[in-house]
Amino acid sequence: MNNPFLWISLLKIVGILFVVILPMVSYTVYAERRVSAFIQDRVGPNRVGPEGLLQPIADVVKLLMKEDFSPSHVNPFYYWLAPTLAVMPAIITMAVVPFGSSLFGVPMVIADVNIGILFVFAISSLGVYGIVLAGWASNSKYSFLGGVRSSSQMISYELCLGLAVIPIFLLVGHLRLTDVVRYQIENGWLIAPFIGDWLNPTKWLLAIPMLISFGVFTIAIFAETNRLPFDLPEAEQELAGGYHTEYSSMKFALFFLGEYAAMITGSAVIVTLFFGGWHFPLPSWSGGFHWALVDGSAPGWKGVAGGLFNIVIFFAKVAALLFFFIWVRWTLPRFRYDQLMRLGWIFFFEIALANIFLVAGILTFAR
Amino acid sequence: MAVTVTRPNLNWREKIYLPAILSGLAITLNHFKRMLLGQTKVTMQYPEQRRDAEMPDYYRGAPALVRDTNGRVRCVACQLCEFICPPRAIKILPGEIPDADQFAKVEKYPEEFDIDMIRCIYCGMCEEVCPEQAIFLRKDYAITGFTREDMVHHKDKLLEIGGVMHGVVLKWNERK
């Protein structure tokens, strides 16, 4: 155990997953309650602590003290397994996302695997198991219907999830997520390519398929995390709670937090692929006007400041995208189940597929 | 009878739904901005803002016993309010006023007068039925306590809430 890489990785895991991501999940719940209240012309929780900021802590205390009850009619092994399978994929996927440039010489990504995005897709597909097991093991009609609907929805939208981002990797050439970020540093964010060679028409032409890709991928992430307008599996008006009807206290908390953790991970992946990850160009006039790169590689305190700046920028972008998730939830009505499946299998699948051919064509003939 | 429902013909902008979605997003963002800047005042932040100053005269709050301007407790323990109270929240133990007292003419007074505020439904029947104008419903509505015993208002608490009532009929005057 003298291996420094192991210790540093352990520190990164504890420092990011436990200190940043898990509190971020509870505060996303708080943000949802506040933002949705403001959108609905009401105030939201503002009593516990200043402006209600200690509300998640009160919620945690309440959930910990609740009686952990298992109904007698459930299948005990899968009933206990399902909430963990709902939470773990969302958290594990954060391991490959680069949330910063580097700090004290340590790259700010827990596992910089060269299969990058394939890891994300593989692990997030495991999230389906949590829901289908919860619906089946609960041994109740509402849960079963909710579980079945949710699992079919998630599997359908995994198609367009994968196909939508293939154009990016056609462009970048590597699957590694840090390489995607490095490509965006040199050539501008994929949906806002304002860095680099302005006179190259191919670059501007490629922005159109990248926007299509961004749209399809974001909508697929909405469907994967069971967020409105695709939240039929947990529609209270129709299913009395859906697949988590029979769960209480800590197991329900795990489902609830798993949904928000999946939202955060989805936002993190979208930020990495389309919004330039941790990069934020600062204008610099020394030696002619250019966009200066701020990252953690400068020596001394400037490098530390740069590294911290990158981490803050990454989480700011994730927070902005989470605001967008909440904003859309309280704007759009819910899709009917057949409309949902039709969109996933016919509409978005074809658009993503056509997008791949479009980008391949542009790259072949314009280079 | 089969009825044919004609679907409206959508133009291309309506068919892709995106312009409608974007205008919907603009509406909700406007609501958010207005709440954030404090331009929408819908929610009353209770306990900092209350409507205690604007209560109507006929508002029925917690019951209270009153004294008159002579300092006498007006209740004569006739137990009419105890009889008529629908949830039976009032419990009275009547006692005799000793002959040496200034108000010996009245003969009866309540030794114990308990109103269980958990049972009280604030209907106002006790105030209506009282022949002595001794019990009135006040304007306070926030009655709280930690135990059931805390929530029973005894005679001293009721007199404290009630205070002195002016303008009531002085039935038991000396001259009669």
Side-chain angles (χ1 to χ4, degrees):
Chain A
M1 287 302 274
N2 281 335
N3 192 346
F5 175 70
L6 266 170
W7 283 110
I8 293 176
S9 293
L10 198 62
L11 196 65
K12 273 194 275 195
I13 291 174
V14 168
I16 283 298
L17 285 182
F18 290 100
V19 174
V20 176
I21 297 290
L22 288 183
M24 197 167 168
V25 171
S26 358
Y27 277 89
T28 308
V29 179
Y30 166 76
E32 158 122 42
R33 288 171 77 173
R34 281 298 227 139
V35 170
S36 62
F38 275 34
I39 290 178
Q40 297 172 337
D41 286 344
R42 56 187 177 86
V43 178
N46 65 347
R47 292 281 154 187
V48 189
E51 292 295 321
L53 281 170
L54 295 181
Q55 180 75 37
I57 306 198
D59 286 341
V60 162
V61 173
K62 172 210 124 186
L63 281 168
L64 284 175
M65 309 232 283
K66 242 179 155 177
E67 179 191 354
D68 199 37
F69 176 74
S70 289
S72 56
H73 55 81
V74 299
N75 186 331
F77 178 64
Y78 294 118
Y79 183 79
W80 281 83
L81 188 61
T84 54
L85 281 180
V87 173
M88 292 322 291
I91 300 184
I92 291 178
T93 320
M94 273 307 281
V96 289
V97 171
F99 50 84
S101 54
S102 61
L103 199 60
F104 303 111
V106 174
M108 284 283 109
V109 52
I110 298 178
D112 195 12
V113 291
N114 50 7
I115 54 167
I117 198 72
L118 280 184
F119 182 87
V120 170
F121 291 149
I123 299 291
S124 62
S125 305
L126 290 179
V128 183
Y129 276 114
I131 297 180
V132 74
L133 284 177
W136 187 77
S138 296
N139 212 353
S140 116
K141 290 183 182 47
Y142 287 127
S143 309
F144 178 67
L145 277 175
V148 163
R149 276 185 184 176
S150 175
S151 53
S152 60
Q153 170 189 313
M154 286 176 85
I155 296 175
S156 315
Y157 280 86
E158 301 217 349
L159 273 174
C160 30
L161 195 74
L163 287 177
V165 288
I166 289 183
I168 302 182
F169 297 100
L170 282 176
L171 194 56
V172 172
H174 304 274
L175 287 178
R176 201 192 279 255
L177 287 176
T178 44
D179 285 343
V180 173
V181 176
R182 199 167 307 132
Y183 179 87
Q184 292 186 72
I185 295 174
E186 284 152 19
N187 301 34
W189 299 356
L190 284 179
I191 60 166
F194 296 123
I195 302 181
D197 190 6
W198 282 61
L199 297 176
N200 188 355
T202 314
K203 200 168 112 100
W204 298 104
L205 196 58
L206 277 172
I208 305 170
M210 289 304 146
L211 276 171
I212 299 177
S213 187
F214 167 64
V216 176
F217 189 72
T218 307
I219 295 175
I221 289 281
F222 270 97
E224 283 291 312
T225 55
N226 283 344
R227 274 309 268 191
L228 258 145
F230 301 100
D231 82 334
L232 208 54
E234 45 186 58
E236 279 102 357
Q237 292 93 332
E238 311 199 357
L239 283 173
Y243 57 88
H244 49 69
T245 315
E246 302 285 332
Y247 284 89
S248 69
S249 137
M250 216 53 211
K251 300 199 216 54
F252 171 74
L254 281 177
F255 273 117
F256 199 56
L257 295 181
E259 177 182 329
Y260 286 93
M263 242 166 77
I264 292 178
T265 306
S267 304
V269 172
I270 294 177
V271 163
T272 308
L273 292 177
F274 295 100
F275 285 96
W278 45 259
H279 174 241
F280 191 76
L282 291 179
S284 155
W285 281 267
S286 61
F289 177 77
H290 67 281
W291 295 109
L293 168 65
V294 179
D295 71 353
S297 55
W301 67 269
K302 278 196 185 162
V304 177
L308 287 174
F309 174 71
N310 290 133
I311 299 180
V312 166
I313 287 290
F314 178 80
F315 283 111
K317 291 184 195 175
V318 170
L321 208 53
L322 285 172
F323 175 78
F324 181 68
F325 269 70
I326 300 172
W327 183 20
V328 168
R329 177 182 184 170
W330 295 102
T331 303
L332 294 178
R334 188 176 287 138
F335 276 117
R336 211 174 58 223
Y337 191 62
D338 61 320
Q339 293 171 337
L340 202 156
M341 297 302 270
R342 195 169 146 267
L343 269 181
W345 284 94
I346 297 180
F347 195 63
F348 288 126
F349 179 54
E350 288 181 354
I351 288 186
L353 211 50
N355 200 23
I356 299 177
F357 285 109
L358 182 65
V359 169
I362 294 177
L363 287 177
T364 314
F365 294 111
R367 277 209 181 152
Chain B
M1 272 287 294
V3 177
T4 311
V5 177
T6 49
R7 302 277 171 183
N9 278 335
L10 303 173
N11 58 24
W12 71 271
R13 266 190 312 269
E14 288 168 356
K15 273 192 189 162
I16 58 173
Y17 293 115
L18 283 174
I21 292 179
L22 289 173
S23 69
L25 285 174
I27 293 175
T28 34
L29 194 67
N30 196 25
H31 274 264
F32 180 74
K33 180 201 72 130
R34 288 182 60 90
M35 264 312 274
L36 202 61
L37 297 176
Q39 292 167 358
T40 311
K41 295 194 192 312
V42 185
T43 309
M44 181 173 82
Q45 297 281 0
Y46 182 76
E48 289 90 22
Q49 302 165 356
R50 292 186 196 225
R51 292 215 182 94
D52 286 4
E54 300 143 6
M55 300 279 233
D57 290 332
Y58 42 82
Y59 186 80
R60 298 199 298 266
L65 286 176
V66 300
R67 294 178 191 271
D68 64 10
T69 40
N70 293 336
R72 180 177 71 85
V73 178
R74 287 189 61 82
C75 175
V76 295
C78 65
Q79 294 174 294
L80 271 172
C81 55
E82 183 177 1
F83 190 74
I84 203 170
C85 178
R88 298 199 213 141
I90 302 183
K91 281 196 178 23
I92 299 177
L93 186 68
E96 185 174 347
I97 294 186
D99 292 335
D101 195 274
Q102 175 192 13
F103 297 112
K105 189 172 163 194
V106 181
E107 287 183 12
K108 263 176 99 176
Y109 84 106
E111 248 180 61
E112 285 175 21
F113 195 116
D114 298 333
I115 303 186
D116 188 354
M117 295 312 291
I118 297 182
R119 285 192 178 220
C120 174
I121 58 174
Y122 305 90
C123 57
M125 307 243 83
C126 50
E127 179 179 344
E128 259 185 66
V129 82
C130 181
E132 298 290 319
Q133 287 179 308
I135 187 166
F136 288 92
L137 259 56
R138 286 275 177 262
K139 298 271 182 298
D140 39 311
Y141 46 83
I143 318 286
T144 54
F146 282 101
T147 60
R148 293 199 182 179
E149 288 75 30
D150 280 346
M151 295 287 281
V152 175
H153 284 186
H154 300 290
K155 190 169 89 161
D156 45 355
K157 174 87 179 165
L158 291 169
L159 284 168
E160 177 194 332
I161 304 175
V164 175
M165 176 71 87
H166 299 270
V168 286
V169 176
L170 294 170
K171 284 164 78 172
W172 298 94
N173 279 349
E174 293 293 325
R175 297 259 155 34
K176 286 189 185 160

